Amino acid sequence: MSVRDSVTDGLYGLGWATVKKLPEPVARGLGRRIADVAWKRRGKSVLRLESNLARVVPDATPERLAELSKAGMRSYMRYWMESFRLPTWSKERAAGSFDPKDVHHLTDALASDRGVILALPHMGNWDLAGVWVTRALGVPFTTVAERLKPESLYDRFVAYRESLGMEVLPHTGGAAFGTLARRLRAGGLVCLVADRDLSASGVEVSFFGEKARMPAGPAMLAQQTGALLLPVTLWYDDTDVMRGQVHAPLDVPESGTRAEKTSSMTQALADVFAGGIAEHPEDWHMLQRLWLADLEERVEEQREGEQRT
């Protein structure tokens, strides 16, 4: 393990060990201070967040974008502070910390025994939403986790999410797809964060008027297993309770090839995500490149760097 990886793993370990022991107001205040310091430094993540938000709110002035990115960093750190503390929360605390609208879409889908796929963007605290599902509804589910470096950090995340009642599969090529399909055919629940493609096989969509790629998995699983695909959006307000909305199931098109159906359903998913993000842009934690134009720009920058060396 490199020195950088050791430091990264150590910092996350310190967060899990220390933050969960702090009084709630102290942890919240610490998160805000860390967010504000990071925002003032104007590092790559903050600049990328502002660039992404500029597409979400195209008519925003530079001052408005700065306000949104500052609020976005505070929202992002709230996610981390909550996540570090989630394992210590009681069932009652977890159940009372999330208030989703239209949850009947989920309960009705679960009662159908067809299998259910919940697809979410990187909004609010998706771990808290997952804990609410396992503790308030008493429903276990399967999810997929991105392979992180160092490996020890990935292991920490897997152990953390498994302690919250989730079955966690590694995102390694298409290896997880078969297991997810089996869970759905058995009438189970699968939850996937699905607004950023981590493979080379994503579906091209129009997202806030520009081309991006999103994972094909949710739509393909729905087609292959007959499971219901429900988008979910999350956000914070001025209270201690996270808000959310369970959207109506997305229909599988009646005609077209499998690829055409996958494209149509993924675009429909992107449209629902866009609506939720537009309403609460500060709670969309997208600090990475997402749009194809930005990804192509990065490739060009790498090529220029290689030529200089």
Side-chain angles (χ1 to χ4, degrees), residues 1-14 149-153 156:
M1 184 187 298
S2 68
V3 173
R4 179 179 178 180
D5 285 350
S6 296
V7 170
T8 300
D9 181 61
L11 288 173
Y12 279 100
L14 181 64
K149 292 185 179 181
E151 190 74 14
S152 57
L153 179 58
R156 285 184 189 274

Side-chain angles (χ1 to χ4, degrees), residues 124-156:
N125 189 335
W126 44 97
D127 286 329
L128 173 55
V131 170
W132 183 87
V133 168
T134 60
R135 296 185 182 177
L137 296 185
V139 179
F141 66 87
T142 304
T143 189
V144 175
E146 177 182 359
R147 280 282 186 186
L148 300 172
K149 292 185 179 181
E151 190 74 14
S152 57
L153 179 58
Y154 170 78
D155 291 339
R156 285 184 189 274

Side-chain angles (χ1 to χ4, degrees), residues 34 65 67 70 72 136 214 247 257-258 270 288 302 307:
I34 293 173
L65 278 178
E67 290 175 358
K70 184 175 184 178
M214 291 189 179
H247 299 266
T257 65
R258 176 174 292 186
Q288 299 86 16
Q302 291 173 342
Q307 291 174 354

Side-chain angles (χ1 to χ4, degrees), residues 41 44 49 93 109 161 175 210 264 303:
R41 288 180 176 175
K44 288 184 179 180
L49 177 61
R93 171 70 190 279
R161 287 183 169 134
E210 291 192 44
S264 176
R303 286 175 181 167

Side-chain angles (χ1 to χ4, degrees), residues 85-100 127-137 164 240-242:
R85 298 169 63 81
L86 271 177
T88 68
W89 285 11
S90 66
K91 178 179 179 179
E92 293 73 23
R93 171 70 190 279
S97 294
F98 180 41
D99 181 23
D127 286 329
L128 173 55
V131 170
W132 183 87
V133 168
T134 60
R135 296 185 182 177
L137 296 185
L164 301 176
D240 293 337
V241 178
M242 183 176 71

Side-chain angles (χ1 to χ4, degrees), residues 18-302:
T18 304
V19 172
K20 65 183 179 182
K21 298 178 182 178
L22 296 174
E24 188 84 14
V26 175
R28 286 278 178 91
L30 176 62
R32 285 193 295 272
R33 287 194 293 274
I34 293 173
D36 290 349
V37 169
W39 179 78
K40 288 179 181 178
R41 288 180 176 175
R42 310 289 294 164
K44 288 184 179 180
S45 294
V46 174
L47 295 177
R48 176 52 51 194
L49 177 61
E50 284 192 8
S51 176
N52 291 339
L53 288 172
R55 287 172 163 108
V56 175
V57 192
D59 58 347
T61 63
E63 293 77 16
R64 175 59 178 154
L65 278 178
E67 290 175 358
L68 282 174
S69 67
K70 184 175 184 178
M73 291 304 295
R74 286 187 170 189
S75 175
Y76 183 54
M77 286 311 303
R78 176 172 172 176
Y79 158 76
W80 280 111
M81 292 296 131
E82 285 180 346
S83 295
F84 286 142
R85 298 169 63 81
L86 271 177
T88 68
W89 285 11
S90 66
K91 178 179 179 179
E92 293 73 23
R93 171 70 190 279
S97 294
F98 180 41
D99 181 23
K101 297 191 296 183
D102 297 328
V103 74
H104 66 89
H105 289 309
L106 174 56
T107 54
D108 290 347
L110 290 170
S112 73
D113 291 327
R114 289 177 54 184
V116 181
I117 306 160
L118 295 180
L120 307 88
H122 284 79
M123 290 186 79
N125 189 335
W126 44 97
D127 286 329
L128 173 55
V131 170
W132 183 87
V133 168
T134 60
R135 296 185 182 177
L137 296 185
V139 179
F141 66 87
T142 304
T143 189
V144 175
E146 177 182 359
R147 280 282 186 186
L148 300 172
K149 292 185 179 181
E151 190 74 14
S152 57
L153 179 58
Y154 170 78
D155 291 339
R156 285 184 189 274
F157 270 96
V158 170
Y160 155 70
R161 287 183 169 134
E162 288 179 342
S163 75
L164 301 176
M166 311 176 192
E167 179 188 21
V168 183
L169 307 176
H171 187 285
T172 307
F177 190 91
T179 302
L180 295 174
R182 287 193 294 274
R183 299 292 183 269
L184 292 167
R185 288 194 184 101
L189 175 64
V190 165
C191 299
L192 300 171
V193 180
D195 58 343
R196 186 166 70 94
D197 181 46
L198 298 176
S199 70
S201 58
V203 176
E204 187 173 299
V205 297
S206 176
F207 195 55
F208 291 101
E210 291 192 44
K211 293 179 180 179
R213 285 196 187 96
M214 291 189 179
M220 292 178 64
L221 283 166
Q223 292 177 68
Q224 186 165 317
T225 68
L228 294 165
L229 174 55
L230 280 66
V232 179
T233 50
L234 309 171
W235 65 92
Y236 292 121
D237 57 18
D238 294 331
T239 71
D240 293 337
V241 178
M242 183 176 71
R243 310 297 176 180
Q245 182 168 2
V246 182
H247 299 266
L250 299 180
D251 294 327
V252 177
E254 295 182 359
S255 62
T257 65
R258 176 174 292 186
E260 289 170 343
K261 292 178 181 180
T262 299
S263 177
S264 176
M265 293 180 72
T266 306
Q267 182 62 63
L269 191 62
D271 291 342
V272 176
F273 287 170
I277 292 167
E279 291 181 0
H280 307 280
E282 68 279 5
D283 292 315
W284 186 43
H285 306 152
M286 186 54 65
L287 281 66
Q288 299 86 16
R289 297 174 191 259
L290 178 72
W291 281 272
L292 297 190
D294 293 336
L295 295 171
E296 292 166 358
E297 179 183 308
R298 179 176 61 185
V299 171
E300 186 62 32
E301 290 172 352
Q302 291 173 342

